[in-house]
Amino acid sequence: MHAFVSRQSVVHSYRAFSTSARRWEIATLTSLPDRRCPSYLETPHNDLLSLRWPLPPRNVLLVQKRNTPAASEALRTFACHVHDTYPDIHILLEPDTASELHQSIPFPVHTNATPNEEDLANKIDLTATFGGDGTILRASSLFSKAANVPPILSFSMGTLGFLGEWKFGEFKRAFREVYMAGAGAGERSRILEGDQSTDGAAAKDGVILSRASPTGWSSVRGKNLGATRGARVLLRNRLKVAVGTSDSESTPSTHPVNHSPSAIHAMNEIIIHRGATPHLVHIAIFIGGRFLTEAVADGMIISTPTGSTAYSLSSGGSIIHPLVDSLCLTPICPRSLSFRPLVLPASTPVTLRLSEETNRGREVEVSIDGVRQKQGLKVGGEIRVVGEEILRGSEGWIGGVPCIMREGGAKGDDDGWVGGLNGLLKFNFPFGEEG
């Protein structure tokens, strides 16, 4: 009888151990809580905005540079640190990254089983990237149809990049600044003391927080950032792009881009290019509904200020500060040297139409943020582009791609753009001398 009881206890112990182990699990994001949207507020004497969370973020998407062991290792290190230090946070990975790395991460991760952008937009609080500019663009493209993009915290691990703000060695400080943005100087005591009418729990914005088991901001040791400090954010402009057919032979389509159901956003640029066709492309250009010219070139680029340092720069386009609300129209190898790049207000609609009579090729390639689209632009078709509206609401600014900036300089007010240009482009650097 004693032997039988002993055996049962052994079996029970083994079963408890086997069923409690949840390592290497990949869960779907549908089980996660809904997204918490931060606000972006103006601060005196600083062009950057201040990030403020209404409550601590919970769902963090990690995006890495593909086929790069160093980026994979950085992602694992970051994920483990966040899981150990901020236990309320859920880690999300892209499906291919989750399949590749989940066995080396000692806790469950989440992913989107289907490529449904709306699910991501409804769940993700914050995105962290590990790579170069292309990785940031890929992360932004995951929300190409969303009006409200989660803030992006980027760690530079690429080759040449203008967008990566933080070195990976600073990841603990960087994430803490973002996570604690919104926790005032007395936030810890207010959450722990709370409202006595909630049966021993603290209430904040309708969310009950246990006093016996602190969560969110109250569970993080160390100093808060204070009510006047927070992570600094640059709202990068996007283009709103729609592809369609022209309505007439002489004027661009009157369908507004802002109300097109198929419109998507681009953070960098949209490019039409002749591709493998050996003939130049004839492109009719309309600005604000008025005919400008018919360009004969290899292609055309419409870029944001962020994209002005990419393909547009290589094609002779102007460099535009990211705080300038504008777009840049740049021809690619035009036949006429008199056709120069144009900088236009972001609110000006631009239409590029592939002329039907003069084009010998029947289709050109279309690329958005470096990704070639499966469907090209056929003759008679047109691309309609306008800058996305960034609106100022009662709770701060809305729109664009919020990028977490690393403040530098002696006074802490340098947005890094000027130093980045000198460091990457080496303005007026003497030839033959080492940098």
Side-chain angles (χ1 to χ4, degrees), residues 182-195 202-204 209 227:
E187 194 67 50
R188 184 191 307 270
S189 60
R190 288 199 299 272
I191 292 176
L192 290 177
E193 293 173 5
D195 184 354
K204 180 177 175 63
L209 301 174

Side-chain angles (χ1 to χ4, degrees), residues 389-423:
E389 289 184 293
I390 299 181
L391 304 175
R392 183 178 182 178
S394 58
E395 298 184 357
W397 293 87
I398 302 173
V401 180
C403 295
I404 311 296
M405 306 300 287
R406 182 186 185 279
E407 289 191 298
K411 297 182 180 180
D413 57 358
D414 178 23
D415 64 10
W417 188 79
V418 174
L421 284 184
N422 282 323

Side-chain angles (χ1 to χ4, degrees), residues 374-385:
K374 295 180 180 179
Q375 183 66 44
L377 183 67
K378 299 182 182 297
V379 292
E382 64 183 30
I383 292 178
R384 302 182 291 276
V385 180

Side-chain angles (χ1 to χ4, degrees), residues 123-164:
K123 297 293 183 180
I124 303 302
D125 299 331
L126 171 71
T127 302
T129 66
F130 307 84
D133 289 359
T135 308
I136 299 173
L137 293 177
R138 195 172 86 246
S140 173
S141 70
L142 297 175
F143 308 93
S144 62
K145 293 186 178 181
N148 198 340
V149 180
I152 296 178
L153 174 63
S154 57
F155 296 99
S156 181
M157 303 186 68
T159 50
L160 177 66
F162 286 86
L163 306 183

Side-chain angles (χ1 to χ4, degrees), residues 69-90:
S72 298
E73 182 59 31
L75 185 148
R76 280 193 292 264
T77 302
F78 182 88
C80 290
H81 167 73
V82 169
H83 179 265
D84 293 341
T85 311
Y86 310 88
D88 293 332
I89 286 185
H90 307 98

Side-chain angles (χ1 to χ4, degrees), residues 17-46:
F17 173 78
S18 63
T19 56
S20 63
R22 299 186 63 219
R23 296 180 60 183
W24 310 321
E25 177 184 336
I26 301 179
T28 61
L29 57 77
T30 55
S31 61
L32 294 176
D34 288 339
R35 175 186 176 188
R36 288 175 174 170
C37 295
S39 56
Y40 308 102
L41 307 177
E42 293 184 16
T43 55
H45 313 298
N46 198 318

Side-chain angles (χ1 to χ4, degrees), residues 121-277:
N122 291 335
K123 297 293 183 180
I124 303 302
D125 299 331
L126 171 71
T127 302
T129 66
F130 307 84
D133 289 359
T135 308
I136 299 173
L137 293 177
R138 195 172 86 246
S140 173
S141 70
L142 297 175
F143 308 93
S144 62
K145 293 186 178 181
N148 198 340
V149 180
I152 296 178
L153 174 63
S154 57
F155 296 99
S156 181
M157 303 186 68
T159 50
L160 177 66
F162 286 86
L163 306 183
E165 279 295 314
W166 297 82
K167 297 177 181 178
F168 183 69
E170 303 170 305
F171 74 92
K172 294 181 181 179
R173 169 200 161 193
F175 186 80
R176 180 180 176 80
E177 282 193 11
V178 176
Y179 182 84
M180 297 301 292
E187 194 67 50
R188 184 191 307 270
S189 60
R190 288 199 299 272
I191 292 176
L192 290 177
E193 293 173 5
D195 184 354
Q196 301 302 319
S197 64
T198 57
D199 193 22
K204 180 177 175 63
D205 295 344
V207 178
I208 306 301
L209 301 174
S210 170
R211 294 177 62 190
S213 178
T215 59
W217 288 318
S218 62
S219 66
V220 180
R221 297 180 179 179
K223 295 181 179 180
N224 291 309
L225 296 180
T228 60
R229 290 191 56 199
R232 299 301 180 189
V233 171
L234 171 64
L235 290 181
R236 295 187 178 273
N237 295 55
R238 294 190 296 178
L239 301 174
K240 199 159 190 179
V241 183
V243 181
T245 57
S246 61
D247 291 338
S248 68
E249 294 300 319
S250 57
T251 60
S253 170
T254 57
H255 299 315
V257 178
N258 286 328
H259 300 289
S260 174
S262 61
I264 62 174
H265 295 91
M267 181 179 174
N268 236 33
E269 80 260 303
I270 178 169
I271 302 166
I272 61 174
H273 193 275
R274 63 181 177 85
T277 304

